[in-house]
Amino acid sequence: MEKSYSRAALMEEYFRRAALWLDVYGDTQYWPFLDLAAIVAPAIRADPAVIADIEGFIDEASGSSYAMDSGAAAVQWAALTSAPGVELPPLPDPFEPLLRLYERGGSGFRLTNGFVDFGMIMVPRGSWRMHLSPTPIIELDDEALDALDERKWAEFNALTDGRGQ
């Protein structure tokens, strides 16, 4: 819970980055957790045994289908970006924010009524076009993420302390 604000910001940054890639390569019906490598270069795929291993590990560790899907998609993306001769536009890594999100507290979120629900903080899912922006939501380093959590929790506590809650 203590890293909920940064985790929500990381989800927003994932949405923004995925939208940048979709703006170049086209629409998808699988928003927001998508296999972007299959859209960009469907012929380049990771070893199926590696994908099965990562899905099995994530299933055992968290049981989250979203984490399994996005973890497998991140491995597919790594296979694409490391393949010889692949030329991609100079856009930010789409999966780095999701990996940072998982590092900061696991996969404890749900898709509910058009939102990604982190408990008391919700991020609007919307269409990918809604998230299209050249401006990053947050820097991905621990210092920036910790500062966001500290600032937002201080604001929250100031509001609730003033009401005796």
Side-chain angles (χ1 to χ4, degrees):
M1 197 66 171
E2 68 191 34
K3 296 181 180 181
S4 294
Y5 287 103
S6 62
R7 291 176 67 234
L10 287 163
M11 182 63 74
E12 289 182 88
E13 179 62 10
Y14 162 70
F15 286 170
R16 184 190 78 82
R17 289 181 181 203
L20 291 172
W21 284 94
L22 290 174
D23 192 45
V24 172
Y25 286 98
D27 206 347
T28 179
Q29 63 183 0
Y30 299 108
W31 176 259
F33 302 108
L34 55 126
D35 181 353
L36 190 57
I39 295 169
V40 173
I44 300 174
R45 305 306 289 160
D47 180 340
V50 172
I51 297 299
D53 284 348
I54 195 74
E55 288 176 335
F57 174 80
I58 293 170
D59 186 33
E60 196 171 301
S62 76
S64 167
S65 63
Y66 305 123
M68 284 191 309
D69 291 347
S70 58
V75 171
Q76 295 289 6
W77 187 255
L80 170 65
T81 59
S82 64
V86 172
E87 292 186 30
L88 297 170
L91 295 172
D93 183 310
F95 294 100
E96 186 180 9
L98 271 183
L99 297 175
R100 295 291 293 136
L101 182 154
Y102 296 142
E103 289 171 353
R104 293 182 70 80
S107 55
F109 62 83
R110 299 175 302 152
L111 286 178
T112 308
N113 298 324
F115 291 87
V116 179
D117 183 356
F118 288 94
M120 61 179 241
I121 302 165
M122 298 178 86
V123 175
R125 176 180 152 184
S127 73
W128 66 265
R129 287 179 182 85
M130 176 183 133
H131 298 280
L132 193 57
S133 170
T135 308
I137 304 298
I138 190 159
E139 294 298 320
L140 304 187
D141 63 272
D142 284 331
E143 188 176 312
L145 297 168
D146 290 343
L148 173 68
D149 285 320
E150 186 176 318
R151 185 180 78 251
K152 290 295 196 176
W153 280 112
E155 292 171 6
F156 176 81
N157 290 332
L159 285 172
T160 58
D161 288 346
R163 296 185 178 148
Q165 298 175 356

